[in-house]
Amino acid sequence: MKNRMYDPNDFEQFYAQRILNASAVDVERLITEMFNRIPGWKAKTTPPSNDFGADIIAQSPIGIYAIQVKHWKGKVGNDAVQAVLGAMPVWKAKYAIVITTGPGFTQSAKIQAQHAKVKLWGKRELAILYKASLGQSDLLSQLSLEYSVAPSFVLLAKRYWQLSKPVLSVMKKVPVHLWILLVIIMIFIFNRH
């Protein structure tokens, strides 16, 4: 990996100098380091020979992510989506992401990912991850990684009410169906008055 000077706040420089010129293994390490710099996240690379379809496993405030990284010059196909889906039960992951440093994803990969609720990340999402690793944004709210209404509600509650961290952590653990029931009850109560 080349070690040229770059402005740490400039993602374009970081991408051109540290990601595009890196090996696939170095890209996995860089992405793992970015996740690890975000408060509440802990990531590790998997062993190259026994990764079971995930290159990185990341523990987030809302669950475990199985992450497949493709450092390719071409578009990533649905085989990467299938691989990360297969990795989820092995690593006890609740969520899955396929990251590419290349030009994007094939249509079949997009269709399968949408139906399987696998997130597809490209350069835009890597820029958000990079900024979050510098403490400049909140990764979950920026990327809409939430698969349920509960984390979204928690983010809104955090923004509009000054709730303590223990209260927020309890709110995150409430199942989605209970949040839906709470919303229905609130609608019913407010419509009666």
Side-chain angles (χ1 to χ4, degrees):
M1 202 163 36
K2 295 180 182 175
N3 230 355
R4 288 188 253 166
M5 292 296 294
Y6 65 93
D7 176 359
N9 292 312
D10 187 340
F11 174 73
E12 291 300 325
Q13 280 185 337
F14 176 80
Y15 191 80
Q17 294 177 16
R18 299 282 312 273
I19 292 181
L20 292 181
N21 293 322
S23 69
V25 172
D26 286 338
V27 169
E28 291 171 16
R29 286 187 190 129
L30 281 169
I31 292 171
T32 302
E33 288 171 15
M34 285 190 276
F35 277 114
N36 281 328
R37 286 196 300 263
I38 301 170
W41 289 74
K42 184 174 169 90
K44 65 179 181 176
T45 55
T46 58
S49 59
N50 287 324
D51 66 10
F52 301 103
D55 300 310
I56 301 168
I57 302 302
Q59 174 69 52
S60 80
I62 63 170
I64 297 172
Y65 286 84
I67 303 167
Q68 174 75 239
V69 179
K70 294 297 183 192
H71 187 48
W72 291 355
K73 294 187 190 280
K75 288 189 175 187
V76 175
N78 66 336
D79 56 330
V81 176
Q82 292 168 3
V84 79
L85 284 170
M88 289 177 70
V90 174
W91 296 104
K92 296 177 177 50
K94 188 174 180 183
Y95 310 106
I97 304 169
V98 177
I99 300 174
T100 182
T101 59
F105 299 90
T106 64
Q107 190 62 30
S108 62
K110 291 176 186 177
I111 291 168
Q112 185 170 24
Q114 181 180 8
H115 289 288
K117 294 187 178 172
V118 172
K119 297 292 183 182
L120 300 179
W121 287 15
K123 187 176 178 182
R124 176 190 159 276
E125 291 80 9
L126 282 172
I128 293 169
L129 173 64
Y130 182 72
K131 287 181 181 180
S133 75
L134 297 175
Q136 297 174 357
S137 68
D138 176 38
L139 184 64
L140 291 177
S141 63
Q142 286 294 312
L143 292 170
S144 300
L145 292 177
E146 305 87 352
Y147 289 78
S148 67
V149 296
S152 300
F153 184 81
V154 170
L155 290 171
L156 282 172
K158 186 176 178 183
R159 180 175 289 163
Y160 294 107
W161 298 293
Q162 296 301 317
L163 298 176
S164 67
K165 286 186 180 184
V167 170
L168 288 170
S169 96
V170 169
M171 288 174 69
K172 288 179 187 176
K173 295 176 183 173
V174 174
V176 174
H177 64 278
L178 290 178
W179 284 116
I180 293 169
L181 181 62
L182 177 64
V183 169
I184 291 169
I185 291 169
M186 289 173 63
I187 291 169
F188 178 76
I189 290 171
F190 288 120
N191 283 334
R192 291 185 69 202
H193 295 296

